[in-house]
Amino acid sequence: MSCDVCTAGERRPQLIRYSLSMADRLILVDHVPAEVCDRCGEVTLSPDVVERLQQTVWQHEPPARFVETPVYEFA
């Protein structure tokens, strides 16, 4: 299927790392199924995947692991 953003690339199934910032916390979810444009990199998530991500975050499921990450200021 062609990309809705660049119209030149093709969207292909891929597992991604999804990240979001919530209440001064960075949350990462690995192995999220998505369609990614092979030209511009635009990511598309299905409604089912978005619902599952929301359930995972809002139900406070225990994480598989923790990652320490540095934080920089952009000055």
Side-chain angles (χ1 to χ4, degrees):
M1 182 178 273
S2 64
C3 178
D4 296 331
V5 175
C6 73
T7 67
E10 291 291 319
R11 296 187 316 197
R12 305 202 187 282
Q14 187 174 330
L15 295 178
I16 64 165
R17 173 178 277 178
Y18 181 81
S19 64
L20 70 136
S21 181
M22 201 168 107
D24 204 29
R25 292 179 20 201
L26 175 64
I27 298 170
L28 302 174
V29 183
D30 279 335
H31 312 295
V32 176
E35 289 186 347
V36 181
C37 175
D38 61 5
R39 179 161 180 160
C40 73
E42 176 70 16
V43 174
T44 305
L45 301 174
S46 73
D48 291 340
V49 169
V50 171
E51 185 176 327
R52 175 78 190 277
L53 283 169
Q54 289 174 336
Q55 288 174 355
T56 301
V57 172
W58 290 108
Q59 292 181 4
H60 304 289
E61 292 183 16
R65 60 191 170 96
F66 286 90
V67 177
E68 185 176 338
T69 186
V71 177
Y72 297 94
E73 294 287 336
F74 185 82

